[in-house]
Amino acid sequence: MRFTEQKMISILRHRGYRLTPQRRAVLRVIASSHDHLTPAAIYERARQKYPDIGLVTVYRALEVLGKLGLICEMHTGGDCRSYLMRRPSGHHHHLICSGCGEVIDFADCDLSSLEQRLTQKTGFKIEGHLLEFFGRCRNCQRVDSA
Amino acid sequence: MRFTEQKMISILRHRGYRLTPQRRAVLRVIASSHDHLTPAAIYERARQKYPDIGLVTVYRALEVLGKLGLICEMHTGGDCRSYLMRRPSGHHHHLICSGCGEVIDFADCDLSSLEQRLTQKTGFKIEGHLLEFFGRCRNCQRVDSA
DNA sequence: CAGTAACTGAAAACCATTTTCATTTATATT
DNA sequence: AATATAAATGAAAATGGTTTTCAGTTACTG
């Protein structure tokens, strides 16, 4: 955590952004949650530590933090935007519990052979992919069957 | 196309929905486009054939057609909602050109071994996945380098 | 052909996000 | 430490996509 915060500071500075308590608050909220949070949820939580923060500022902080690669935006089914801490891993994907919203990261997607096949068949130059799994975590499976 | 329309009628009836010219218009627009269209774009095109249709009705038609599995909703980056004809294939994915929006379907994703690995590691019961590739189609590559 | 529930269109409501603008603040400079 | 200034903030208003409401219309059943 300390690491992340240090890193954040250096990244912000390096790109000419300022380190404000609001941005710190937003980042901490996201860092301390394992779920993906909507802007409104982030706002609610950030307010507990920093009551004067405005929703607008949360949106702006999310934009900046996203631009810096510190957090990432997700598009999961219904509600379109939600944010999650970007783990150091870089390229990765999500396994999302449809019950409680828990998110597990994984990186080993190995879609290269599929990519090659698609390139050959279509002539597309493939630049990226979006891969997310949906399911039920252990806990929610238990609740389901109860 | 005729096939799709016949099928649509039977599916609608079977589930207690009515076949209205508006729904037909929306479905035809989506069926006749290879791109994924936003509700607004669908509205514009539907109006050409059926000038009295309202945007609200387009939204409602999309909801129904989606529920019936005739079209599918996509979440691609920026603009959240867009719709595409569901091809008969059933389970499939999209390869999307970031230049012109062309969409190519493919079905052979073969993520089963990855799924198994994830299940073992996490205890999740995996129920589905979202996989989309992004890239540049042949045409847009040409334009890019021009 | 009549009855009825489903459907439609228009306007209004809603809600998330963005913009505007006056004020405040983090940071670099003295 | 004090100052200058560009960046950031908060509040209010604007925006824009989506949903709801409601009165009138229409597809289908009998």
Side-chain angles (χ1 to χ4, degrees), chain A residues 21-34:
Chain A
Q22 291 91 336
R23 285 175 180 165
R24 209 196 296 254
V26 167
L27 198 92
R28 277 187 181 167
V29 165
I30 298 175
S32 69
S33 168
H34 218 232

Side-chain angles (χ1 to χ4, degrees), chain A:
Chain A
M1 195 74 124
R2 177 153 306 283
F3 164 75
T4 299
E5 203 144 342
Q6 277 314 315
K7 190 163 187 178
M8 168 181 74
I9 292 170
S10 81
I11 291 177
L12 277 170
R13 291 261 166 76
H14 192 256
R15 299 245 222 139
Y17 292 103
R18 291 185 184 167
L19 178 67
T20 64
Q22 291 91 336
R23 285 175 180 165
R24 209 196 296 254
V26 167
L27 198 92
R28 277 187 181 167
V29 165
I30 298 175
S32 69
S33 168
H34 218 232
D35 296 353
H36 42 132
L37 302 171
T38 61
I42 293 167
Y43 172 55
E44 280 313 320
R45 297 190 191 194
R47 275 219 290 195
Q48 288 166 21
K49 291 274 166 154
Y50 196 94
D52 281 345
I53 196 172
L55 179 55
V56 192
T57 302
V58 171
Y59 275 101
R60 286 191 280 230
L62 290 172
E63 197 192 329
V64 170
L65 296 174
K67 224 182 271 171
L68 296 179
L70 294 169
I71 59 174
C72 63
E73 189 176 305
M74 300 173 55
H75 294 264
T76 46
D79 281 7
C80 267
R81 279 210 276 188
S82 63
Y83 294 85
L84 195 73
M85 199 63 206
R86 175 158 288 162
R87 302 305 190 287
S89 44
H91 176 88
H92 70 276
H93 302 285
H94 301 128
L95 168 54
I96 303 153
C97 179
S98 55
C100 61
E102 185 189 350
V103 177
I104 292 179
D105 286 2
F106 63 96
D108 55 334
C109 55
D110 189 28
L111 295 169
S112 52
S113 71
L114 176 52
E115 247 175 54
Q116 272 174 29
R117 222 179 317 144
L118 286 172
T119 298
Q120 248 176 14
K121 216 159 62 178
T122 64
F124 267 58
K125 185 170 141 212
I126 294 178
E127 292 172 336
H129 58 256
L130 170 65
L131 174 61
E132 293 180 355
F133 283 94
F134 308 101
R136 311 290 284 190
C137 73
R138 246 190 278 262
N139 241 334
C140 289
Q141 284 177 57
R142 211 174 298 137
V143 175
D144 287 347
S145 57

Side-chain angles (χ1 to χ4, degrees), chain B residues 6-35:
Chain B
Q6 277 313 315
K7 189 163 187 177
M8 167 183 72
I9 293 172
S10 80
I11 291 177
L12 277 170
R13 291 261 166 75
H14 191 256
R15 299 246 222 139
Y17 293 104
R18 289 184 185 170
L19 178 68
T20 64
Q22 291 93 337
R23 285 174 182 167
R24 210 195 297 254
V26 167
L27 198 91
R28 279 187 181 167
V29 166
I30 299 175
S32 68
S33 167
H34 217 231
D35 296 352

Side-chain angles (χ1 to χ4, degrees), chain B residues 35-138:
Chain B
D35 296 352
H36 43 132
L37 303 171
T38 61
I42 293 167
Y43 172 55
E44 279 314 320
R45 299 191 189 194
R47 275 220 288 196
Q48 288 167 19
K49 292 273 167 157
Y50 196 94
D52 281 346
I53 196 171
L55 179 57
V56 193
T57 302
V58 170
Y59 274 102
R60 285 191 280 229
L62 290 171
E63 196 192 330
V64 169
L65 295 175
K67 224 182 270 172
L68 297 179
L70 294 169
I71 60 175
C72 61
E73 188 175 306
M74 300 174 53
H75 295 264
T76 45
D79 281 7
C80 266
R81 280 210 276 186
S82 61
Y83 294 86
L84 194 74
M85 199 63 205
R86 175 158 288 161
R87 303 303 191 288
S89 44
H91 176 89
H92 70 277
H93 302 285
H94 301 128
L95 168 56
I96 303 154
C97 179
S98 56
C100 62
E102 186 190 349
V103 176
I104 291 180
D105 286 3
F106 63 95
D108 55 333
C109 54
D110 191 27
L111 295 169
S112 52
S113 71
L114 176 52
E115 246 174 55
Q116 273 174 30
R117 222 178 317 145
L118 287 172
T119 297
Q120 247 174 17
K121 215 159 63 177
T122 64
F124 267 58
K125 185 170 140 210
I126 294 177
E127 291 171 336
H129 58 257
L130 170 66
L131 173 62
E132 293 179 356
F133 283 93
F134 309 101
R136 311 289 285 188
C137 73
R138 247 189 278 262

